[in-house]
Amino acid sequence: MSPRVRFLGHPAHVVLTDFPIALWVTSVLADGLTLGFGPSPWERWAFGCLALGLLMAVPTILTGLLDYLALPADHPAVRAATVHMTLMLTATGAFTTSLVLRVGVSPPTGVRWLAALVFSGAGLAALVVGGWWGGELVLRYGVGTRVFDFSGVRPQDRPIDEHASGE
């Protein structure tokens, strides 16, 4: 299945996913540094990375939704795509909540700070598992690829290890 939205010949969703993932992981790392070394400048880094990650999540979500809607209803990847989308939207919601808890004149403290960390941790967990499901879509089902297989076997019916080895 070829994706609906492409950028310079590549699936746009796959290209865009790197940005929110990298920014949100960096925000969690900055939170860890804040815990270890104090709020300045790490708390500002965490806040900025959360905000930029959410900004980049918008086109990522939109292109992913368009690819999802392009899947035929009977495609075997629909279940995996639904799980992937649900987890990634959960991650986006958790990181959004973490950002909202941090908004204010000074960095949050006490319960607000703890809640922001918990939501970022939950977002990271959903991000990792959702990313794994995204990999399943590409590697197991060939979603977003233009695999030419002359054996007559559809990419989504091939075992995952054949996709990885390119056989």
Side-chain angles (χ1 to χ4, degrees), residues 73-87:
D74 62 342
H75 195 286
V78 169
R79 179 183 169 277
T82 303
V83 171
H84 168 68
M85 180 176 57
T86 301
L87 286 164

Side-chain angles (χ1 to χ4, degrees), residues 84 88 126-140 160:
H84 168 68
M88 297 315 262
L127 189 70
V128 168
V129 178
W132 182 86
W133 279 98
E136 282 286 286
L137 290 170
V138 174
L139 298 173
R140 183 178 301 272
I160 195 162

